[in-house]
Amino acid sequence: MTDGSAVDTRPTKIMFVAEATAHGGREGYVTSQDGQLDLKVAMPPQLGGDGNGTNPEQLFAAGDSSCFHNALILVGNREGYDLTGSTVSAKVGIGPNTQRGYGLAVALSVSLPVLDSDLATKLVDAAHEVCPYSNATRGNIDVTILLG
């Protein structure tokens, strides 16, 4: 929007609700209500832990990359392109912020080997508008998207 107003990206209808529970914070485990997720959580060595488990940043990277890839496939299909062979990888970084807390940064690496760079950029930009993770993080987390 040109007037500086934020675009409202909240859902108008909830179609699915995921539920997960953390037990023990970053040194415990997480489970999902349906039993599909049951993972040990551990601090990575870079943050002083033993790294003997997953961590919230890996889970966020998995969710963001799969969601963004699905949005990319959706917009590709809408435009008549088969994106078989495409991939999206996510790196999620964590570090201290200026408010005495912590913040995240995301880098998405998108591979669209069958498309030229202009078309790939167009589809990535469209996916960034569709993806719920992109909509949730916009303005809150630095997100870099790399085409490779």
Side-chain angles (χ1 to χ4, degrees):
M1 301 181 81
T2 58
D3 65 2
S5 300
V7 175
D8 187 356
T9 59
R10 294 174 297 176
T12 58
K13 175 183 175 185
I14 300 297
M15 298 170 57
F16 170 74
V17 174
E19 183 179 345
T21 303
H23 310 263
R26 285 182 169 267
E27 295 292 340
Y29 64 99
V30 292
T31 58
S32 62
Q33 172 273 334
D34 63 2
Q36 293 295 314
L37 190 66
D38 188 351
L39 299 170
K40 182 177 185 207
V41 180
M43 290 282 267
Q46 299 87 338
L47 298 179
D50 64 14
N52 192 18
T54 191
N55 57 68
E57 293 72 36
Q58 286 175 325
L59 296 171
F60 192 99
D64 197 0
S65 62
S66 63
C67 190
F68 193 89
H69 195 213
N70 195 72
L72 187 62
I73 291 168
L74 175 74
V75 298
N77 287 342
R78 284 180 181 168
E79 296 290 324
Y81 297 101
D82 178 3
L83 300 184
T84 300
S86 63
T87 60
V88 175
S89 299
K91 292 181 181 180
V92 175
I94 184 171
N97 64 23
T98 60
Q99 306 302 313
R100 299 183 59 195
Y102 291 86
L104 300 175
V106 173
L108 296 174
S109 296
V110 179
S111 174
L112 292 164
V114 299
L115 300 178
D116 68 51
S117 124
D118 288 342
L119 180 55
T121 298
K122 176 184 168 191
L123 294 179
V124 165
D125 289 346
H128 195 44
E129 296 301 316
V130 170
C131 177
Y133 275 70
S134 294
N135 288 328
T137 60
R138 189 173 291 111
N140 300 308
I141 295 176
D142 287 335
V143 177
T144 303
I145 302 176
L146 308 166
L147 274 171

